[in-house]
Amino acid sequence: MTEPRPLPRRASIPILSYHQTAAVPPRGAPYRGLVLPPTRFARQMRALQALGYRGLSMRDLLPYLRGERTGRVVGITLDDGYVNNFDHALPVLLALGFTATSFVVSGQLGGANVWDAAAGVTRVRLMNVHHLREWTALGMEVGAHTRSHVHLAHCDPARARAEIAGSREDLEQALGVPVRSFCYPYGEYRDEHVEMARSAGFETATTSDSGRACRRDDLLRLPRLTVWLSTPSAYLMARVCLDVEGWRRRRAPSPAVARPA
Ligand SMILES: [Zn+2]
């Protein structure tokens, strides 16, 4: 496959955050906004390719995040490890030569999104070891998303460390591949969790902070662009192509500059 067209070295990189690709639940269903019809996901991936972008897993994106490579690339992440992404997103990614990272809850391999039950969310199947082995064999990446999708902020340090480091150990043992990418459940993290992820050996960690990844960002607290059911695809493509946040930052007056009274 041809190399993506180069971007300037200082360009920021969008990392997209998806959850489910499946039939959209009825109106009023909790977290309905995180379910995307498979046809919409496919259209968005094809639009990225038409715009000259290549979708990459966090592992494949790492050289670009480190500034070792330049190119028109976008991170593709799928949180929680739903089987519906194996069924619907995987064929689309393969057809386009894209890769993606599925962030998996290591204590629920072949299980369900039980952590959402209290919010009234319908149980949805998660990939089992066989799905995940095929996922990785086909060039996709498995990342870790803790052992039980905990609120890290509610965990004591020992539990938080076990959830973060343990999820990597569990997945490496089950799948026999290196696991180097992490994602904070619910996007919640504190400085100590960042350090736990770093000392557990993760090379990147994604948050739910909204924005594009800049070269100067800590690789263990990377922002993303969440794709909602309500996100118009044209708006999403505009956010991928245009660094709106960077433009706003550069336009904002510096707080250090004294202003006339
Ligand atoms: Zn999650």
Side-chain angles (χ1 to χ4, degrees):
M1 129 164 286
T2 54
E3 279 297 298
R5 277 182 282 151
L7 278 182
R9 291 194 72 81
R10 63 198 287 266
S12 58
I13 298 173
I15 301 171
L16 304 184
S17 164
Y18 290 94
H19 282 73
Q20 298 191 51
T21 47
V24 178
R27 279 185 191 281
Y31 298 166
R32 175 178 183 267
L34 290 171
V35 184
L36 220 65
T39 49
R40 174 110 55 103
F41 177 81
R43 262 203 315 276
Q44 291 179 356
M45 293 300 110
R46 285 197 296 268
L48 289 173
Q49 190 189 48
L51 291 165
Y53 282 86
R54 188 195 291 177
L56 295 179
S57 65
M58 295 309 298
R59 173 197 60 208
D60 295 341
L61 198 64
L62 191 55
Y64 297 88
L65 292 166
R66 285 178 170 155
E68 296 160 2
R69 296 187 73 177
T70 57
R72 202 169 286 258
V73 291
V74 53
I76 309 288
T77 64
L78 302 148
D79 289 13
D80 302 338
Y82 296 101
V83 172
N84 55 45
N85 290 327
F86 184 90
D87 293 337
H88 302 133
L90 180 59
V92 174
L93 296 163
L94 289 173
L96 296 173
F98 286 8
T99 57
T101 302
S102 177
F103 288 113
V104 169
V105 177
S106 71
Q108 282 295 332
L109 302 185
N113 54 337
V114 292
W115 58 87
D116 282 336
V121 178
T122 314
R123 283 170 74 98
V124 183
R125 284 172 61 220
L126 301 174
M127 287 192 262
N128 61 28
V129 171
H130 302 291
H131 291 116
L132 293 170
R133 284 192 182 146
E134 190 166 347
W135 180 267
T136 56
L138 291 168
M140 305 295 146
E141 183 190 24
V142 170
H145 200 35
T146 71
R147 278 182 161 154
S148 49
H149 208 282
V150 283
H151 287 276
L152 287 170
H154 300 174
C155 295
D156 63 46
R159 171 90 195 277
R161 193 170 289 108
E163 286 279 345
I164 293 169
S167 62
R168 180 180 162 212
E169 291 160 16
D170 295 346
L171 292 171
E172 289 193 338
Q173 199 162 27
L175 305 175
V177 295
V179 174
R180 297 286 185 270
S181 306
F182 183 73
C183 176
Y184 303 98
Y186 309 101
E188 295 173 0
Y189 66 95
R190 291 198 297 246
D191 290 349
E192 70 227 51
H193 304 130
V194 174
E195 293 319 311
M196 286 175 195
R198 207 185 308 279
S199 62
F202 289 110
E203 293 175 317
T204 66
T206 46
T207 69
S208 300
D209 299 346
S210 182
R212 300 160 63 99
C214 300
R215 193 67 41 77
R216 62 178 176 277
D217 282 349
D218 182 347
L219 292 176
L220 276 296
R221 41 179 115 209
L222 292 168
R224 293 186 292 176
L225 302 175
T226 298
V227 184
W228 301 90
L229 177 62
S230 59
T231 307
S233 294
Y235 174 73
L236 177 67
M237 293 308 138
R239 288 200 76 189
V240 166
C241 296
L242 306 170
D243 183 4
V244 177
E245 291 90 352
W247 182 80
R248 281 200 194 116
R249 262 198 313 274
R250 290 191 291 276
R251 294 269 301 177
S254 165
V257 176
R259 295 238 182 141

